[in-house]
Structure formats: structure tokens, C-alpha cells
Amino acid sequence: MTRMDNDMTRMDMDMNKDVKGMDDALKNALRRQEAPDGFAARVLARVAQQDSPQKPVHRDSWLTFLTQPIVRWAALAAFATAMILGVHVYNVRRERAEGEAAKQRLMLALRVAGSKLQLARAKVNEMNANQTRNRQVKE
Amino acid sequence: MAERIPAEQSAEISENDIADSDFAEIVRRHQSAVFSIALHFLADRSAAEELAQDVFLQLHANLSTLKSEDHMKFWLRKVTAHRCIDYKRRRKPPQVSLDDAPEPVAPSHSSDPLLERRLQQLVASLPEKPRLVVILRYQEDMRAEDIADVLAMPLATVKSHLQRSLAMLREKVTRAIGEVTI
């Protein structure tokens, strides 16, 4: 074996040693660490918290909210305001409908009166025309 | 994607066995692995604990779907890995690539704790996927095939990540620590 071959073999061995050394160093640096104290207990507490029913609490909070006096008074006031507004709107609509009906009746009456007047004027004109004709015949 | 369970299947346990077993005992059995993956990935103890707790909460919700102890181990590694990546992406931390990682002043002699600490920092500065590959390989002692299954990536990619990460780590460590026997 030449001197160069010897050198190459030594270099290969050094490289393999480096790779092995790096592997060991990484395994050492990345070895498992213990989880913090009480880790499992905290996980179990979160599991228990997650499993506990949430909806009844929500409903309870709603009921509690509704039993507060201020909320009840506010609801009563809102109901009364709605009633007053409803009656007012009903009255306005009724008055408007009555006004509309009266207007229709007045228009009908005016139309009837107009046609009567037309007839009367035609009669008067006819009588005037007859009188004039009779006077001319006498003369 | 369908979950492939690693080839190294050992003791098969029934669904009922898992469902009936004490969840606290399951947590104690796996907490170190899950916490360590998160810790080595995030380099932040409180964030790692929060993430590990979330993983176990998810495990509790999915216990009935796990068919064996190995399946559970595979599932935990997979979920932890994905949650680590999600966590990093949500938080958008300042990304420091390995090349930009600050070099410490190289002491003439180094002790093992110093080398360990430096290696942990360098691993934590790797890009997300290669970092997970290195953590799963060296912390969990997983084979490249199993890492490929857990991370749902081609085997060639896993091997490439490992090779490149190791080359970079070696170069950085040598430059940072100096002439030490590793």
C-alpha cells in the first residue's frame, strides 16, 4: 500500500468518526426532556373543563339577566311604547280612510249637481227660444 | 391522507383497551416525547407546554380512533409535528436561517453542555421541515421511512433534508465551537 493510499484510508476513517461523533452529539443535544411538573394534572384539568357542559351555564346566565329589575322595567316600557304607537297608527289610518270616503261622496254630489244645472239651463234656453218665436209670430 | 402506521408494529391492543385505560397514564407515558418535540422545535418552554397540552386534548377527543399503542405513538408524533408548524406559521416569528444565525465567540475549549446548547440553537434555527426531520431522527430515533410517513413527505426529501441539515450543522458547529472532538 502506497503512502497516498494510507492517507486516504486515514481520511475516510476520520470522516466516519466525524459523522458518528456528530450523530452522538445530536442525539445528546436532542434527547428527550422531562415535561414540566404537574403537566399531566394540567392536561386532565383542561380535559375536565372541556367535558363539563357549557350550555346550562349559558342558559342560567340568560335567566339571571332577565330577572334583573332594570331589565324587567325596560321590557315593560318597551311593551307600553309599542302599544301606544300601534293605537296611534291605527287611528291615523282610520281617519285617513274616512276622509277619503267623504271626499268620494262630495265628488259624486258635485257631479250630480252639475248635471242638474245643465238640464235646467237647457230648459231655460228652450223656453226663451219659444217665447221669442211666439213674439215674432204675433208681430 | 390515509395514515400509514410504521412497520415496527409490536403489541397490538384493542380499541376498548385504549378507551378503558387511564388517560392520565397515557399522558404520563407520552408527555416527555410530545413536550420534547415541541421544545426542540419552538425553543420556548411555555409555548412547548401549551402546544403539548393541546396535542393531548386532541388525543383525548380521538382516543376511540386509535387502534394500538404504536398507532397512538405515530398519531402523537404526527399531530405534534403538524401543530408545531402551524404554531410557527401563526406566530410568524423572525425567521433566522442557519446561514444568518449569529456566531458565538468561539472559545478555545468547549465543554459538552456548550456543544449541546449550541447544537440545540442551530437545530432551532433550521427551516421548519428540516428541523422536524432532524428532531424526529435524533430525539425519537426514527427511521427515515417512518419520518416520511409522519410528515407525509417523500422518502427522498426526508433523506435530502437530513443530509443537508447535518452538513450545515457540522459546518456551523465546527466554525462556532472550534476544534473539538465531536
Side-chain angles (χ1 to χ4, degrees):
Chain A
M1 195 182 269
T2 64
R3 186 179 167 179
M4 202 173 145
D5 287 339
N6 279 337
D7 286 348
M8 289 293 284
T9 309
R10 203 180 312 121
M11 276 172 65
D12 280 350
M13 282 171 67
D14 287 347
M15 271 178 66
N16 286 338
K17 196 177 151 195
D18 275 357
V19 170
K20 179 78 173 65
M22 189 66 186
D23 271 5
D24 290 344
L26 271 170
K27 275 181 184 165
N28 212 24
L30 297 179
R31 67 183 178 277
R32 284 184 184 176
Q33 309 271 321
E34 281 304 314
D37 286 342
F39 176 85
R42 286 192 287 279
V43 170
L44 294 177
R46 283 185 66 184
V47 167
Q49 195 182 10
Q50 218 173 39
D51 286 349
S52 66
Q54 297 290 317
K55 284 195 172 174
V57 174
H58 187 62
R59 214 180 296 135
D60 283 348
S61 68
W62 256 108
L63 288 173
T64 313
F65 175 73
L66 285 175
T67 53
Q68 287 179 1
I70 192 163
V71 176
R72 278 188 302 200
W73 280 112
L76 202 63
F79 180 73
T81 309
M83 286 295 287
I84 292 166
L85 273 174
V87 169
H88 176 70
V89 167
Y90 173 76
N91 283 337
V92 166
R93 283 190 179 173
R94 190 169 52 86
E95 280 169 11
R96 197 177 293 163
E98 283 175 355
E100 195 66 30
K103 184 180 160 191
Q104 293 296 327
R105 280 198 299 273
L106 179 66
M107 293 299 288
L108 183 65
L110 285 173
R111 272 201 296 275
V112 170
S115 62
K116 293 275 184 195
L117 278 172
Q118 284 286 348
L119 274 172
R121 198 168 70 178
K123 277 274 187 204
V124 167
N125 286 342
E126 194 184 353
M127 283 169 70
N128 282 344
N130 286 340
Q131 277 180 352
T132 310
R133 210 181 308 131
N134 289 340
R135 212 180 295 140
Q136 282 173 351
V137 170
K138 280 179 187 171
E139 284 174 358
Chain B
M1 198 196 89
E3 286 180 7
R4 275 184 56 203
I5 304 168
E8 46 183 25
Q9 293 289 346
S10 54
E12 287 278 329
I13 57 175
S14 74
E15 192 173 313
N16 284 341
D17 288 337
I18 293 175
D20 294 338
S21 67
D22 186 5
F23 183 64
E25 184 50 41
I26 293 175
V27 174
R28 281 187 204 101
R29 205 159 58 234
H30 297 286
Q31 64 182 15
S32 165
V34 172
F35 173 72
S36 299
I37 293 173
L39 179 64
H40 289 139
F41 188 88
L42 302 173
D44 177 342
R45 282 188 80 83
S46 61
E49 176 171 354
E50 186 191 329
L51 192 146
Q53 282 185 14
D54 291 343
V55 170
F56 282 110
L57 282 186
Q58 195 176 337
L59 173 70
H60 184 261
N62 290 277
L63 262 184
S64 58
T65 64
L66 303 177
K67 292 177 172 50
S68 68
E69 181 66 25
D70 283 330
H71 189 189
M72 188 185 293
K73 215 187 285 183
F74 170 82
W75 186 94
L76 280 170
R77 286 165 172 169
K78 190 179 93 169
V79 170
T80 308
H82 289 170
R83 275 185 175 269
C84 281
I85 289 175
D86 287 348
Y87 185 93
K88 272 286 177 194
R89 289 182 183 167
R90 267 203 323 271
R91 296 292 170 103
K92 290 192 186 296
Q95 286 284 324
V96 182
S97 79
L98 193 58
D99 292 325
D100 300 333
E103 297 283 354
V105 179
S108 53
H109 298 289
S110 71
S111 59
D112 278 349
L114 181 69
L115 174 64
E116 266 178 35
R117 196 168 154 66
R118 184 61 191 150
L119 269 173
Q120 285 165 357
Q121 286 172 346
L122 290 172
V123 168
S125 70
L126 285 170
E128 289 163 0
K129 292 276 171 76
R131 194 186 323 168
L132 271 175
V133 169
V134 170
I135 291 169
L136 292 177
R137 171 72 190 88
Y138 289 100
Q139 182 197 301
E140 294 298 298
D141 205 18
M142 287 171 72
R143 297 179 309 148
E145 290 83 353
D146 297 337
I147 297 173
D149 282 341
V150 165
L151 299 180
M153 70 173 56
L155 180 59
T157 311
V158 171
K159 286 182 174 170
S160 149
H161 279 326
L162 260 179
Q163 263 182 341
R164 272 195 277 172
S165 302
L166 281 180
M168 282 199 285
L169 288 171
R170 191 177 299 116
E171 186 196 327
K172 285 275 177 184
V173 156
T174 310
R175 220 188 306 162
I177 306 286
E179 289 295 316
V180 290
T181 312
I182 55 170

